[in-house]
Amino acid sequence: MTDSMKYEEAMRELERIVASMENDELDIDSLGEQLRRAQQLIKMCKAKLNKADEEIKEILSGGEAKD
């Protein structure tokens, strides 16, 4: 499941998808599937980055980070 995936794992998978697209390794049938997967991974990465940003701002402002 994407939600339990670590940021670094998601980025590696995204890099593999992009490389496959750049090297014309995807056929038309799998292209749509891979694009949807990439979209899910990007959304998850953005959420993780936003959460980390909020936690850092909270810590730097002298408060405690929320879980």
Side-chain angles (χ1 to χ4, degrees):
M1 167 134 317
T2 306
D3 292 338
S4 62
M5 181 181 268
K6 291 187 175 191
Y7 179 84
E8 292 80 10
E9 293 171 318
M11 287 302 298
R12 279 192 296 273
E13 186 173 344
L14 275 169
E15 289 169 354
R16 282 193 299 271
I17 292 170
V18 169
S20 294
M21 288 177 181
E22 289 176 343
N23 296 325
D24 293 324
E25 295 172 359
L26 298 176
D27 60 24
I28 195 71
D29 295 320
S30 62
L31 182 60
E33 179 184 324
Q34 291 300 302
L35 284 172
R36 280 189 289 281
R37 179 64 178 155
Q39 186 178 32
Q40 291 172 338
L41 291 166
I42 291 167
K43 183 177 178 180
M44 189 266 320
C45 286
K46 283 183 179 181
K48 286 187 179 284
L49 287 171
N50 287 335
K51 182 179 178 188
D53 186 51
E54 290 173 14
E55 290 174 353
I56 290 168
K57 286 177 182 176
E58 184 70 24
I59 291 167
L60 293 176
S61 70
E64 293 186 21
K66 299 175 187 174
D67 283 88

